[in-house]
Amino acid sequence: MTAPSPDGPRQRRRRHHRQVIAPLTVVSALLCGAVLSGCGQQRDPDVYTVMNSSTDESYHRWDAQTLARCGKRLGVTIEQQSVPAAQVMTKALRMASSKSLPDVLQLDASEMPTFAEAGGLIPLKDLGLTTTDIPRGIVDFGSYEGTYYGAARTVNTLALFYNKDTLDQSGLKVPATWAEMRSTAKKLTKGKRYGLALSAGGAEDGVFQFTPFMWSNGGDETKLDSPQVAGALDYWKSLLKDRSLSKSTVNWTQADVNDQFMAGNAAMMINGPWQVETLNTKKALHWGMARIPVPKAGADSVGPLGGGILTVPNTGDNAREKKAAKIIGCMSGEQEQITYALNSWMVPANEKAAAVWREKVPELAALSGQVATARSRTAKLGAGWSSVSLALQSAFQSALTGETSESALKRAQQRATSGN
């Protein structure tokens, strides 16, 4: 992101993802060595550790309150260890090599398959946790090859945000289809104001934002060079051609997009609920939220699920692993989910908790509907998602700066298949 650092105030704006940064062979070597050697240090039987990426002051405080309540309920002390989001995987691997893994490890869902494939996580059902009242898509979000490894407290996805005053003054309705969004964005583009802002940068932000267009158009990450994926990328190109998108979109992160929307430089934007707290600091900004428009009326708007999942690392200490699962059970309980969701503007993972949440924040109802049809980026490819993500990032940069979508995506498919 363009300053400030993502480890500071903007941390909350990008909690939905992190890029997997460690090769599977490295992960396997470190984790296998840790597990085969057993626990490397004597631990206090009444003190447990949860490692997460809650370096933002608000998130760290909310998690500390959750852990205090759960610790009291379970009769143990639960310590929180927070590290910057981009460093969670490398920090966990270092701890694995020194046989000092935490009892509970919060991972981004896109990272979990790499850890699970290497044998570094314990299936949660083996430890007594169930998936009752959790939608199938969210179960898949925390699963690898059909095995449930990670419990989500809350999830997020993308939606269409719009400036109510701008649309009202222009006499325009909130768009529901691609054709309507293109027409509306073009009409709203005036002077320094663009009709729409989105992130198409060469990083995971851009890929996260492209998936609802790719999936809703029938595209698939297993075949990047399909006509459906090319059609989605061509749609982005059409918005650029209309000048409804800034040329800078190829450099923008999702935080940058939010900044443009708040400054009045964009009438609509594609973004996530992690921006709501910041949006609400500008009292004069009257914003609304809707599902991301679809190619044809009546089609499902299929966005990406984002968020962190709570996992139990494979330490070889079965007694501690069982207690760690109880900590996760408490953290992901219905009431704790509601409390955390109301603080963070995310959607509770549990269906019953989500129903209560919808009543409390009706302005986010569209987000709840978008989550209902959303899916995990790693559901089909597991640890192979990272190669696809990198390939797509390169394709955006090429296609949005002049190359044909077909050519850029053909090269992307070749790159994804080779794993380079």
Side-chain angles (χ1 to χ4, degrees):
M1 297 193 180
T2 56
S5 165
D7 301 338
R10 300 207 186 208
Q11 171 71 15
R12 73 188 61 181
R13 304 201 208 172
R14 55 179 303 176
R15 291 176 63 83
H16 61 280
H17 65 72
R18 290 189 299 273
Q19 184 64 38
V20 176
I21 56 176
L24 178 61
T25 51
V26 175
V27 177
S28 298
L30 289 171
L31 292 178
C32 288
V35 174
L36 289 174
S37 301
C39 295
Q41 61 180 18
Q42 201 68 26
R43 304 193 190 201
D44 187 326
D46 296 320
V47 178
Y48 289 75
T49 303
V50 173
M51 191 169 86
N52 57 29
S53 60
S54 301
T55 54
D56 178 88
E57 187 276 330
S58 295
Y59 281 94
H60 192 82
R61 173 167 39 84
W62 298 332
D63 278 334
Q65 293 167 352
T66 297
L67 297 180
R69 289 190 293 267
C70 288
K72 184 176 181 180
R73 190 177 309 168
L74 296 172
V76 296
T77 298
I78 309 174
E79 297 179 344
Q80 178 179 200
Q81 182 177 8
S82 299
V83 298
Q87 299 175 25
V88 169
M89 180 68 92
T90 50
K91 174 72 173 179
L93 291 176
R94 285 197 298 271
M95 296 175 79
S97 66
S98 63
K99 307 174 187 63
S100 58
L101 280 163
D103 297 290
V104 174
L105 175 62
Q106 179 180 298
L107 292 168
D108 185 85
S110 65
E111 292 177 335
M112 180 272 292
T114 301
F115 232 83
E117 189 172 357
L121 301 175
I122 302 293
L124 295 184
K125 289 186 178 180
D126 291 355
L127 298 173
L129 293 182
T130 72
T131 55
T132 303
D133 296 325
I134 303 175
R136 182 74 249 172
I138 297 179
V139 174
D140 291 341
F141 182 63
S143 300
Y144 172 66
E145 293 189 343
T147 300
Y148 183 58
Y149 289 102
R153 289 184 289 172
T154 59
V155 292
N156 61 64
T157 190
L158 295 167
L160 177 70
F161 289 75
Y162 56 92
N163 187 310
K164 290 182 177 181
D165 295 335
T166 301
L167 262 70
D168 287 345
Q169 291 164 9
S170 302
L172 297 170
K173 295 181 179 180
V174 179
T177 66
W178 282 8
E180 291 173 359
M181 183 160 71
R182 183 176 180 183
S183 173
T184 301
K186 192 171 184 177
K187 292 174 181 177
L188 291 172
T189 300
K190 293 182 180 180
K192 294 183 179 180
R193 185 186 71 204
Y194 291 94
L196 179 68
L198 55 79
S199 169
E204 186 74 8
D205 271 16
V207 178
F208 197 73
Q209 294 229 329
F210 184 64
T211 53
F213 293 88
M214 175 173 72
W215 289 337
S216 298
N217 200 40
D220 192 281
E221 56 268 36
T222 63
K223 189 171 176 56
L224 299 181
D225 54 356
S226 72
Q228 292 82 5
V229 180
L233 189 47
D234 279 340
Y235 180 72
W236 273 16
K237 293 186 70 170
S238 72
L239 295 170
L240 270 177
K241 182 180 179 180
D242 292 345
R243 299 185 179 179
S244 298
L245 288 179
S246 168
K247 290 182 179 179
S248 297
T249 194
V250 296
N251 300 316
W252 283 348
T253 64
Q254 293 180 117
D256 297 325
V257 168
N258 193 61
D259 290 342
Q260 295 298 320
F261 182 73
M262 291 186 68
N265 297 330
M268 302 183 291
M269 71 169 176
I270 305 295
N271 227 314
W274 51 89
Q275 308 291 10
V276 170
E277 186 176 7
T278 305
L279 288 172
N280 286 343
T281 62
K282 188 171 182 179
K283 302 303 181 183
L285 176 62
H286 304 130
W287 57 271
M289 181 189 290
R291 293 193 191 190
I292 297 175
V294 292
K296 295 181 180 179
D300 284 337
S301 181
V302 186
L305 277 174
I309 54 175
L310 300 168
T311 69
V312 177
N314 186 353
T315 62
D317 188 332
N318 186 249
R320 288 190 73 93
E321 289 166 357
K322 287 181 177 179
K323 180 67 75 171
K326 289 184 178 181
I327 293 172
I328 291 177
C330 178
M331 293 178 69
S332 59
E334 287 180 35
Q335 188 54 55
E336 290 297 343
Q337 283 194 21
I338 293 168
T339 300
Y340 191 75
L342 291 173
N343 281 333
S344 63
W345 302 97
M346 305 299 176
V347 182
N350 180 286
E351 288 179 323
K352 292 180 179 179
V356 174
W357 172 86
R358 280 193 295 272
E359 293 180 359
K360 293 179 178 292
V361 283
E363 67 271 26
L364 300 186
L367 184 69
S368 180
Q370 189 84 55
V371 163
T373 55
R375 69 179 181 86
S376 168
R377 288 162 285 167
T378 59
K380 291 190 174 183
L381 298 178
W385 169 260
S386 58
S387 295
V388 166
S389 176
L390 291 171
L392 275 175
Q393 292 167 30
S394 179
F396 296 157
Q397 299 294 289
S398 298
L400 296 177
T401 54
E403 189 176 1
T404 66
S405 297
E406 290 78 5
S407 176
L409 289 168
K410 182 178 180 180
R411 188 169 60 255
Q413 179 60 37
Q414 294 170 342
R415 181 177 180 182
T417 302
S418 68
N420 296 321

